[in-house]
Amino acid sequence: MTAAALRHAFLQLPASDQASLLDDLILSSSDAVWEERVASEMEARVSAVEAGSMRLHEASAVFQDMRSQFRA
């Protein structure tokens, strides 16, 4: 299966299934070295969100942007 076919199939999934698949892919591809490298960045982002200093975006807008950027 090509990347374009996978992308197309992914975009046909409901948003909750897309999110679940992305979680699975991220978790299965991470390792201790990667987690160590990004831990401080992740902690800084969580702190910024909690402090209200980071602007968040609605998931629907993010998915729409992704679809328009990666449409095959």
Side-chain angles (χ1 to χ4, degrees):
M1 184 176 271
T2 67
L6 284 170
R7 184 179 303 114
H8 178 74
F10 174 81
L11 294 174
Q12 302 310 306
L13 295 170
S16 61
D17 288 345
Q18 289 178 0
S20 178
L21 180 56
L22 286 173
D23 279 346
D24 291 347
L25 291 171
I26 290 168
L27 290 174
S28 68
S29 66
S30 67
D31 58 29
V33 173
W34 176 85
E35 289 180 16
E36 186 176 326
R37 286 195 326 250
V38 300
S40 63
E41 175 70 17
M42 293 179 352
E43 289 172 9
R45 288 177 184 229
V46 168
S47 294
V49 169
E50 290 173 345
S53 61
M54 179 178 279
R55 186 170 160 232
L56 300 178
H57 303 276
E58 293 289 329
S60 59
V62 172
F63 284 126
Q64 182 59 41
D65 287 347
M66 288 174 59
R67 285 185 190 100
S68 65
Q69 289 180 19
F70 299 107
R71 191 161 272 133

